[in-house]
Amino acid sequence: MSGKIKLINENGLRVDGRRPNELRPIKMEVGILSNADGSAYIEQGKSKILAAVYGPREVHPRHLALPDRALLRCRYHMAPFSVEERKSPAPSRREIELSKVIREALEPAIFLEKFPRTSIDVFIEVLQADGGTRCAGVTVASLALADAGIPMRDMVVACAAGKVDGVIVLDLNDLEDKEGEADIPVAYMPNLGLISLLQMDGILTIEEFNQALNLAIEGCKQIYRLQKEALKAKYVAIKEEVEETCLQ
Ligand code: CDP
């Protein structure tokens, strides 16, 4: 976070032409892997992430099974080709940390108590990383859980806000994350109004923090609408397919 590169131009626009409160273009698709119980894909700017869900299913190894609820396991993994400098396929400390924070962000939304002695396994594969992958990972994992038919209290959606060149901005890309002053990733359950992930990297005043938090929540609400559209699109496609088959 050196702050040496100019991240906001004289017109108040960011390095990729966005206004401070603007999200990157987002594309989501549900149900794209036939061998997983649920799956989803997200593109948020240049970040591209796939999520697959298995379960509820028998726990292996068995001694990990919980008597009163399902065991939620999450693996966040970056493909070696996902970043500029080849990443070792072995799990890094960062990936272990992100797997944990993503699991904790998803956990409060899932009715785990409905499936005692089972496991729900979530795999998040980052195919291309350009900042904000933990947040996009939460958003896409939540979609894959819904696609697997796992009952949830709400969808979880995540988005970061931060500060670059002294300006509070939404949904930082890789350059803004690295060269900016601060970054706060937030996971939010819009219907419940609950935050399930809040981290902070860098320094903000209390006022800036509140502004960034509110902006991140606004971003989450916008992404939530896209999440719902992506889920509906899958069922519209299935309905059309069934209708076509019936007409034949
Ligand atoms: O992706 P997120 O912002 O949640 O996590 P981060 O640890 O703040 O990483 C920010 C960005 O750094 C990632 O999205 C990648 O674009 C980049 N990165 C990288 O280039 N090489 C790595 N081994 C890890 C991250």
Side-chain angles (χ1 to χ4, degrees):
M1 300 216 168
S2 64
K4 279 176 204 146
I5 297 178
K6 200 166 158 47
L7 296 169
I8 304 275
N9 71 15
E10 46 292 339
N11 299 320
L13 298 177
R14 296 155 68 179
V15 280
D16 51 12
R18 280 183 292 157
R19 290 182 296 275
N21 59 355
E22 208 176 320
L23 290 168
R24 291 176 282 183
I26 297 177
K27 196 178 112 184
M28 295 185 221
E29 207 178 320
V30 174
I32 51 171
L33 301 173
S34 52
N35 295 332
D37 293 327
S39 59
Y41 172 70
I42 187 167
E43 279 181 23
Q44 187 157 348
K46 291 184 197 149
S47 292
K48 300 182 179 188
I49 307 174
L50 195 57
V53 167
Y54 291 91
R57 62 179 179 178
E58 203 173 306
V59 187
H60 291 289
R62 280 187 171 208
H63 70 269
L64 293 179
L66 303 169
D68 57 341
R69 65 199 145 97
L71 171 72
L72 179 67
R73 290 187 287 207
C74 256
R75 190 191 73 172
Y76 165 100
H77 179 251
M78 274 184 143
F81 49 80
S82 64
V83 282
E84 230 169 87
E85 196 173 311
R86 181 188 177 275
K87 193 215 143 271
S88 156
S92 62
R93 283 176 65 108
R94 176 180 170 275
E95 285 169 302
I96 294 167
E97 181 214 326
L98 293 202
S99 299
K100 176 181 181 283
V101 299
I102 292 173
R103 173 173 55 74
E104 288 172 349
L106 296 169
E107 224 159 18
I110 307 171
F111 286 101
L112 293 171
E113 62 279 11
K114 285 194 186 290
F115 307 100
R117 292 179 291 280
T118 68
S119 73
I120 298 172
D121 295 297
V122 181
F123 296 90
I124 296 164
E125 290 292 321
V126 179
L127 307 177
Q128 189 167 287
D130 186 41
T133 60
R134 82 193 61 200
C135 289
V138 167
T139 304
V140 72
S142 176
L143 267 180
L145 284 162
D147 184 43
I150 293 179
M152 291 195 280
R153 293 175 179 86
D154 198 355
M155 295 289 280
V156 191
V157 52
C159 187
K163 184 178 162 190
V164 302
D165 283 2
V167 179
I168 300 297
V169 298
L170 181 63
D171 187 19
L172 288 78
N173 62 28
D174 186 40
L175 185 66
E176 292 175 322
D177 184 326
K178 292 200 171 107
E179 302 294 330
E181 289 106 79
D183 174 29
I184 55 164
V186 176
Y188 185 63
M189 287 171 272
N191 278 330
L192 302 175
L194 295 176
I195 290 172
S196 59
L197 165 73
L198 179 59
Q199 295 184 293
M200 179 160 138
D201 185 15
I203 296 172
L204 293 173
T205 63
I206 293 177
E207 204 172 294
E208 286 169 340
F209 173 81
N210 285 330
Q211 203 187 330
L213 179 59
N214 288 332
L215 187 59
I217 290 175
E218 278 313 306
C220 288
K221 288 180 183 168
Q222 286 179 44
I223 300 173
Y224 184 59
R225 287 194 280 276
L226 301 174
Q227 241 183 357
K228 280 199 291 191
E229 274 171 29
L231 262 181
K232 276 188 203 156
K234 177 186 167 179
Y235 292 100
V236 168
I238 292 174
K239 186 171 164 264
E240 283 172 358
E241 219 170 273
V242 170
E243 282 169 355
E244 239 170 66
T245 320
C246 292
L247 285 174
Q248 278 167 9

mmCIF file of all heavy atoms in Angstrom, residues 118-156:
data_model
loop_
_atom_site.group_PDB
_atom_site.id
_atom_site.type_symbol
_atom_site.label_atom_id
_atom_site.label_comp_id
_atom_site.label_asym_id
_atom_site.label_seq_id
_atom_site.Cartn_x
_atom_site.Cartn_y
_atom_site.Cartn_z
ATOM 1 N N THR A 118 -23.774 -35.158 8.992
ATOM 2 C CA THR A 118 -23.426 -35.125 7.559
ATOM 3 C C THR A 118 -22.390 -34.017 7.327
ATOM 4 O O THR A 118 -22.078 -33.248 8.244
ATOM 5 C CB THR A 118 -24.660 -34.791 6.687
ATOM 6 O OG1 THR A 118 -25.038 -33.434 6.957
ATOM 7 C CG2 THR A 118 -25.818 -35.724 6.967
ATOM 8 N N SER A 119 -21.876 -33.958 6.108
ATOM 9 C CA SER A 119 -21.001 -32.832 5.765
ATOM 10 C C SER A 119 -21.538 -32.118 4.532
ATOM 11 O O SER A 119 -22.185 -32.729 3.671
ATOM 12 C CB SER A 119 -19.562 -33.298 5.530
ATOM 13 O OG SER A 119 -19.485 -33.969 4.305
ATOM 14 N N ILE A 120 -21.267 -30.832 4.495
ATOM 15 C CA ILE A 120 -21.548 -30.026 3.302
ATOM 16 C C ILE A 120 -20.198 -29.457 2.893
ATOM 17 O O ILE A 120 -19.545 -28.763 3.679
ATOM 18 C CB ILE A 120 -22.567 -28.903 3.608
ATOM 19 C CG1 ILE A 120 -23.904 -29.512 4.048
ATOM 20 C CG2 ILE A 120 -22.745 -27.994 2.408
ATOM 21 C CD1 ILE A 120 -24.926 -28.506 4.568
ATOM 22 N N ASP A 121 -19.757 -29.818 1.706
ATOM 23 C CA ASP A 121 -18.417 -29.412 1.259
ATOM 24 C C ASP A 121 -18.504 -28.387 0.145
ATOM 25 O O ASP A 121 -19.191 -28.609 -0.851
ATOM 26 C CB ASP A 121 -17.638 -30.646 0.792
ATOM 27 C CG ASP A 121 -17.393 -31.602 1.952
ATOM 28 O OD1 ASP A 121 -16.695 -31.203 2.885
ATOM 29 O OD2 ASP A 121 -17.949 -32.715 1.928
ATOM 30 N N VAL A 122 -17.812 -27.286 0.347
ATOM 31 C CA VAL A 122 -17.839 -26.184 -0.619
ATOM 32 C C VAL A 122 -16.431 -26.003 -1.199
ATOM 33 O O VAL A 122 -15.474 -25.814 -0.445
ATOM 34 C CB VAL A 122 -18.277 -24.864 0.068
ATOM 35 C CG1 VAL A 122 -18.322 -23.721 -0.927
ATOM 36 C CG2 VAL A 122 -19.627 -25.023 0.759
ATOM 37 N N PHE A 123 -16.329 -26.080 -2.511
ATOM 38 C CA PHE A 123 -15.040 -25.890 -3.182
ATOM 39 C C PHE A 123 -15.098 -24.604 -3.998
ATOM 40 O O PHE A 123 -15.992 -24.437 -4.824
ATOM 41 C CB PHE A 123 -14.736 -27.078 -4.105
ATOM 42 C CG PHE A 123 -14.572 -28.362 -3.339
ATOM 43 C CD1 PHE A 123 -15.662 -29.175 -3.082
ATOM 44 C CD2 PHE A 123 -13.333 -28.730 -2.844
ATOM 45 C CE1 PHE A 123 -15.522 -30.346 -2.348
ATOM 46 C CE2 PHE A 123 -13.182 -29.896 -2.110
ATOM 47 C CZ PHE A 123 -14.283 -30.706 -1.855
ATOM 48 N N ILE A 124 -14.147 -23.716 -3.744
ATOM 49 C CA ILE A 124 -14.096 -22.443 -4.463
ATOM 50 C C ILE A 124 -12.790 -22.417 -5.243
ATOM 51 O O ILE A 124 -11.708 -22.485 -4.655
ATOM 52 C CB ILE A 124 -14.175 -21.258 -3.474
ATOM 53 C CG1 ILE A 124 -15.535 -21.289 -2.766
ATOM 54 C CG2 ILE A 124 -13.943 -19.928 -4.171
ATOM 55 C CD1 ILE A 124 -15.597 -20.433 -1.528
ATOM 56 N N GLU A 125 -12.910 -22.384 -6.558
ATOM 57 C CA GLU A 125 -11.716 -22.414 -7.417
ATOM 58 C C GLU A 125 -11.563 -21.058 -8.107
ATOM 59 O O GLU A 125 -12.410 -20.675 -8.932
ATOM 60 C CB GLU A 125 -11.852 -23.501 -8.495
ATOM 61 C CG GLU A 125 -11.782 -24.914 -7.966
ATOM 62 C CD GLU A 125 -10.394 -25.278 -7.435
ATOM 63 O OE1 GLU A 125 -9.380 -24.868 -8.043
ATOM 64 O OE2 GLU A 125 -10.332 -25.967 -6.398
ATOM 65 N N VAL A 126 -10.504 -20.349 -7.765
ATOM 66 C CA VAL A 126 -10.249 -19.059 -8.410
ATOM 67 C C VAL A 126 -9.481 -19.343 -9.705
ATOM 68 O O VAL A 126 -8.367 -19.856 -9.671
ATOM 69 C CB VAL A 126 -9.445 -18.129 -7.477
ATOM 70 C CG1 VAL A 126 -9.155 -16.800 -8.159
ATOM 71 C CG2 VAL A 126 -10.187 -17.912 -6.170
ATOM 72 N N LEU A 127 -10.130 -19.043 -10.823
ATOM 73 C CA LEU A 127 -9.505 -19.310 -12.124
ATOM 74 C C LEU A 127 -8.682 -18.113 -12.575
ATOM 75 O O LEU A 127 -7.675 -18.251 -13.264
ATOM 76 C CB LEU A 127 -10.576 -19.608 -13.179
ATOM 77 C CG LEU A 127 -11.575 -20.716 -12.821
ATOM 78 C CD1 LEU A 127 -12.625 -20.860 -13.901
ATOM 79 C CD2 LEU A 127 -10.845 -22.036 -12.618
ATOM 80 N N GLN A 128 -9.145 -16.939 -12.206
ATOM 81 C CA GLN A 128 -8.425 -15.701 -12.524
ATOM 82 C C GLN A 128 -8.685 -14.712 -11.394
ATOM 83 O O GLN A 128 -9.837 -14.531 -11.007
ATOM 84 C CB GLN A 128 -8.925 -15.154 -13.856
ATOM 85 C CG GLN A 128 -8.109 -13.994 -14.377
ATOM 86 C CD GLN A 128 -8.435 -13.701 -15.832
ATOM 87 O OE1 GLN A 128 -8.065 -14.431 -16.727
ATOM 88 N NE2 GLN A 128 -9.140 -12.622 -16.055
ATOM 89 N N ALA A 129 -7.604 -14.135 -10.856
ATOM 90 C CA ALA A 129 -7.761 -13.238 -9.705
ATOM 91 C C ALA A 129 -7.387 -11.813 -10.080
ATOM 92 O O ALA A 129 -6.331 -11.574 -10.663
ATOM 93 C CB ALA A 129 -6.879 -13.711 -8.557
ATOM 94 N N ASP A 130 -8.285 -10.890 -9.754
ATOM 95 C CA ASP A 130 -7.965 -9.473 -9.932
ATOM 96 C C ASP A 130 -8.562 -8.680 -8.771
ATOM 97 O O ASP A 130 -9.273 -7.701 -8.968
ATOM 98 C CB ASP A 130 -8.504 -8.961 -11.277
ATOM 99 C CG ASP A 130 -8.037 -7.527 -11.535
ATOM 100 O OD1 ASP A 130 -6.871 -7.215 -11.254
ATOM 101 O OD2 ASP A 130 -8.866 -6.704 -11.987
ATOM 102 N N GLY A 131 -8.306 -9.159 -7.556
ATOM 103 C CA GLY A 131 -8.817 -8.475 -6.366
ATOM 104 C C GLY A 131 -10.225 -8.910 -6.002
ATOM 105 O O GLY A 131 -11.003 -9.331 -6.869
ATOM 106 N N GLY A 132 -10.515 -8.866 -4.705
ATOM 107 C CA GLY A 132 -11.878 -9.146 -4.233
ATOM 108 C C GLY A 132 -12.307 -10.598 -4.369
ATOM 109 O O GLY A 132 -13.511 -10.886 -4.426
ATOM 110 N N THR A 133 -11.351 -11.536 -4.356
ATOM 111 C CA THR A 133 -11.753 -12.926 -4.609
ATOM 112 C C THR A 133 -12.411 -13.569 -3.396
ATOM 113 O O THR A 133 -13.211 -14.476 -3.555
ATOM 114 C CB THR A 133 -10.566 -13.789 -5.078
ATOM 115 O OG1 THR A 133 -9.562 -13.773 -4.062
ATOM 116 C CG2 THR A 133 -9.994 -13.296 -6.387
ATOM 117 N N ARG A 134 -12.073 -13.109 -2.168
ATOM 118 C CA ARG A 134 -12.761 -13.715 -1.006
ATOM 119 C C ARG A 134 -14.239 -13.331 -1.041
ATOM 120 O O ARG A 134 -15.100 -14.137 -0.741
ATOM 121 C CB ARG A 134 -12.090 -13.319 0.319
ATOM 122 C CG ARG A 134 -12.462 -11.975 0.875
ATOM 123 C CD ARG A 134 -11.542 -11.541 1.976
ATOM 124 N NE ARG A 134 -10.167 -11.425 1.491
ATOM 125 C CZ ARG A 134 -9.094 -11.439 2.261
ATOM 126 N NH1 ARG A 134 -9.231 -11.562 3.541
ATOM 127 N NH2 ARG A 134 -7.888 -11.306 1.744
ATOM 128 N N CYS A 135 -14.502 -12.078 -1.437
ATOM 129 C CA CYS A 135 -15.897 -11.622 -1.489
ATOM 130 C C CYS A 135 -16.651 -12.322 -2.614
ATOM 131 O O CYS A 135 -17.737 -12.877 -2.390
ATOM 132 C CB CYS A 135 -15.938 -10.116 -1.685
ATOM 133 S SG CYS A 135 -15.421 -9.228 -0.213
ATOM 134 N N ALA A 136 -16.074 -12.324 -3.810
ATOM 135 C CA ALA A 136 -16.745 -12.993 -4.926
ATOM 136 C C ALA A 136 -16.876 -14.489 -4.623
ATOM 137 O O ALA A 136 -17.856 -15.127 -5.021
ATOM 138 C CB ALA A 136 -15.971 -12.759 -6.218
ATOM 139 N N GLY A 137 -15.912 -15.038 -3.869
ATOM 140 C CA GLY A 137 -15.967 -16.446 -3.462
ATOM 141 C C GLY A 137 -17.170 -16.720 -2.574
ATOM 142 O O GLY A 137 -17.848 -17.736 -2.727
ATOM 143 N N VAL A 138 -17.460 -15.811 -1.646
ATOM 144 C CA VAL A 138 -18.634 -15.962 -0.764
ATOM 145 C C VAL A 138 -19.915 -15.892 -1.606
ATOM 146 O O VAL A 138 -20.813 -16.729 -1.476
ATOM 147 C CB VAL A 138 -18.646 -14.857 0.324
ATOM 148 C CG1 VAL A 138 -19.989 -14.795 1.037
ATOM 149 C CG2 VAL A 138 -17.519 -15.067 1.319
ATOM 150 N N THR A 139 -19.983 -14.893 -2.479
ATOM 151 C CA THR A 139 -21.184 -14.699 -3.307
ATOM 152 C C THR A 139 -21.473 -15.929 -4.161
ATOM 153 O O THR A 139 -22.607 -16.410 -4.222
ATOM 154 C CB THR A 139 -20.992 -13.461 -4.221
ATOM 155 O OG1 THR A 139 -20.679 -12.336 -3.403
ATOM 156 C CG2 THR A 139 -22.214 -13.175 -5.044
ATOM 157 N N VAL A 140 -20.430 -16.469 -4.796
ATOM 158 C CA VAL A 140 -20.633 -17.595 -5.717
ATOM 159 C C VAL A 140 -20.879 -18.891 -4.936
ATOM 160 O O VAL A 140 -21.669 -19.738 -5.362
ATOM 161 C CB VAL A 140 -19.460 -17.693 -6.738
ATOM 162 C CG1 VAL A 140 -18.180 -18.180 -6.113
ATOM 163 C CG2 VAL A 140 -19.837 -18.558 -7.917
ATOM 164 N N ALA A 141 -20.249 -19.037 -3.772
ATOM 165 C CA ALA A 141 -20.466 -20.241 -2.949
ATOM 166 C C ALA A 141 -21.910 -20.278 -2.458
ATOM 167 O O ALA A 141 -22.546 -21.336 -2.425
ATOM 168 C CB ALA A 141 -19.506 -20.253 -1.769
ATOM 169 N N SER A 142 -22.439 -19.113 -2.090
ATOM 170 C CA SER A 142 -23.809 -19.025 -1.625
ATOM 171 C C SER A 142 -24.781 -19.454 -2.738
ATOM 172 O O SER A 142 -25.757 -20.178 -2.493
ATOM 173 C CB SER A 142 -24.039 -17.586 -1.186
ATOM 174 O OG SER A 142 -25.329 -17.371 -0.812
ATOM 175 N N LEU A 143 -24.484 -19.040 -3.960
ATOM 176 C CA LEU A 143 -25.306 -19.451 -5.106
ATOM 177 C C LEU A 143 -25.236 -20.959 -5.324
ATOM 178 O O LEU A 143 -26.252 -21.610 -5.595
ATOM 179 C CB LEU A 143 -24.795 -18.764 -6.381
ATOM 180 C CG LEU A 143 -25.423 -17.464 -6.801
ATOM 181 C CD1 LEU A 143 -24.783 -16.963 -8.083
ATOM 182 C CD2 LEU A 143 -26.933 -17.618 -7.015
ATOM 183 N N ALA A 144 -24.040 -21.529 -5.186
ATOM 184 C CA ALA A 144 -23.865 -22.978 -5.386
ATOM 185 C C ALA A 144 -24.594 -23.759 -4.288
ATOM 186 O O ALA A 144 -25.171 -24.813 -4.553
ATOM 187 C CB ALA A 144 -22.376 -23.327 -5.411
ATOM 188 N N LEU A 145 -24.607 -23.217 -3.057
ATOM 189 C CA LEU A 145 -25.341 -23.862 -1.955
ATOM 190 C C LEU A 145 -26.842 -23.859 -2.267
ATOM 191 O O LEU A 145 -27.531 -24.865 -2.079
ATOM 192 C CB LEU A 145 -25.083 -23.122 -0.637
ATOM 193 C CG LEU A 145 -23.727 -23.370 0.023
ATOM 194 C CD1 LEU A 145 -23.410 -22.281 1.048
ATOM 195 C CD2 LEU A 145 -23.683 -24.738 0.701
ATOM 196 N N ALA A 146 -27.331 -22.723 -2.754
ATOM 197 C CA ALA A 146 -28.754 -22.633 -3.113
ATOM 198 C C ALA A 146 -29.053 -23.604 -4.246
ATOM 199 O O ALA A 146 -30.081 -24.294 -4.234
ATOM 200 C CB ALA A 146 -29.100 -21.201 -3.518
ATOM 201 N N ASP A 147 -28.144 -23.701 -5.198
ATOM 202 C CA ASP A 147 -28.335 -24.609 -6.336
ATOM 203 C C ASP A 147 -28.356 -26.071 -5.873
ATOM 204 O O ASP A 147 -29.051 -26.898 -6.455
ATOM 205 C CB ASP A 147 -27.203 -24.384 -7.351
ATOM 206 C CG ASP A 147 -27.388 -25.215 -8.604
ATOM 207 O OD1 ASP A 147 -28.532 -25.282 -9.097
ATOM 208 O OD2 ASP A 147 -26.402 -25.810 -9.079
ATOM 209 N N ALA A 148 -27.621 -26.373 -4.800
ATOM 210 C CA ALA A 148 -27.608 -27.741 -4.250
ATOM 211 C C ALA A 148 -28.878 -28.013 -3.440
ATOM 212 O O ALA A 148 -29.063 -29.120 -2.939
ATOM 213 C CB ALA A 148 -26.368 -27.945 -3.383
ATOM 214 N N GLY A 149 -29.716 -27.008 -3.286
ATOM 215 C CA GLY A 149 -30.979 -27.183 -2.560
ATOM 216 C C GLY A 149 -30.796 -27.179 -1.055
ATOM 217 O O GLY A 149 -31.654 -27.692 -0.319
ATOM 218 N N ILE A 150 -29.710 -26.623 -0.583
ATOM 219 C CA ILE A 150 -29.459 -26.594 0.857
ATOM 220 C C ILE A 150 -30.264 -25.449 1.482
ATOM 221 O O ILE A 150 -30.138 -24.293 1.038
ATOM 222 C CB ILE A 150 -27.945 -26.479 1.120
ATOM 223 C CG1 ILE A 150 -27.329 -27.793 0.627
ATOM 224 C CG2 ILE A 150 -27.634 -26.196 2.591
ATOM 225 C CD1 ILE A 150 -25.906 -27.973 0.728
ATOM 226 N N PRO A 151 -31.106 -25.763 2.479
ATOM 227 C CA PRO A 151 -31.945 -24.696 3.032
ATOM 228 C C PRO A 151 -31.133 -23.625 3.756
ATOM 229 O O PRO A 151 -30.254 -23.941 4.559
ATOM 230 C CB PRO A 151 -32.877 -25.431 4.006
ATOM 231 C CG PRO A 151 -32.328 -26.787 4.179
ATOM 232 C CD PRO A 151 -31.342 -27.066 3.094
ATOM 233 N N MET A 152 -31.435 -22.385 3.417
ATOM 234 C CA MET A 152 -30.682 -21.258 3.997
ATOM 235 C C MET A 152 -31.638 -20.193 4.527
ATOM 236 O O MET A 152 -32.725 -20.001 3.977
ATOM 237 C CB MET A 152 -29.765 -20.658 2.936
ATOM 238 C CG MET A 152 -28.611 -21.560 2.545
ATOM 239 S SD MET A 152 -27.349 -20.657 1.655
ATOM 240 C CE MET A 152 -28.060 -20.619 0.053
ATOM 241 N N ARG A 153 -31.177 -19.502 5.554
ATOM 242 C CA ARG A 153 -31.968 -18.402 6.137
ATOM 243 C C ARG A 153 -31.988 -17.216 5.177
ATOM 244 O O ARG A 153 -32.932 -16.431 5.157
ATOM 245 C CB ARG A 153 -31.346 -17.949 7.461
ATOM 246 C CG ARG A 153 -31.437 -19.001 8.523
ATOM 247 C CD ARG A 153 -30.710 -18.605 9.797
ATOM 248 N NE ARG A 153 -30.880 -19.665 10.767
ATOM 249 C CZ ARG A 153 -30.103 -20.740 10.861
ATOM 250 N NH1 ARG A 153 -29.060 -20.867 10.064
ATOM 251 N NH2 ARG A 153 -30.349 -21.683 11.742
ATOM 252 N N ASP A 154 -30.915 -17.070 4.417
ATOM 253 C CA ASP A 154 -30.774 -15.957 3.470
ATOM 254 C C ASP A 154 -29.588 -16.287 2.565
ATOM 255 O O ASP A 154 -28.781 -17.147 2.910
ATOM 256 C CB ASP A 154 -30.485 -14.656 4.251
ATOM 257 C CG ASP A 154 -30.749 -13.403 3.435
ATOM 258 O OD1 ASP A 154 -31.072 -13.524 2.231
ATOM 259 O OD2 ASP A 154 -30.631 -12.298 3.999
ATOM 260 N N MET A 155 -29.493 -15.607 1.456
ATOM 261 C CA MET A 155 -28.285 -15.725 0.640
ATOM 262 C C MET A 155 -27.207 -14.866 1.313
ATOM 263 O O MET A 155 -27.515 -13.849 1.932
ATOM 264 C CB MET A 155 -28.533 -15.188 -0.765
ATOM 265 C CG MET A 155 -29.540 -15.973 -1.547
ATOM 266 S SD MET A 155 -28.924 -17.589 -2.026
ATOM 267 C CE MET A 155 -27.923 -17.146 -3.432
ATOM 268 N N VAL A 156 -25.958 -15.270 1.161
ATOM 269 C CA VAL A 156 -24.868 -14.430 1.654
ATOM 270 C C VAL A 156 -24.232 -13.778 0.429
ATOM 271 O O VAL A 156 -24.007 -14.438 -0.583
ATOM 272 C CB VAL A 156 -23.798 -15.245 2.414
ATOM 273 C CG1 VAL A 156 -22.836 -14.307 3.129
ATOM 274 C CG2 VAL A 156 -24.442 -16.194 3.405
#
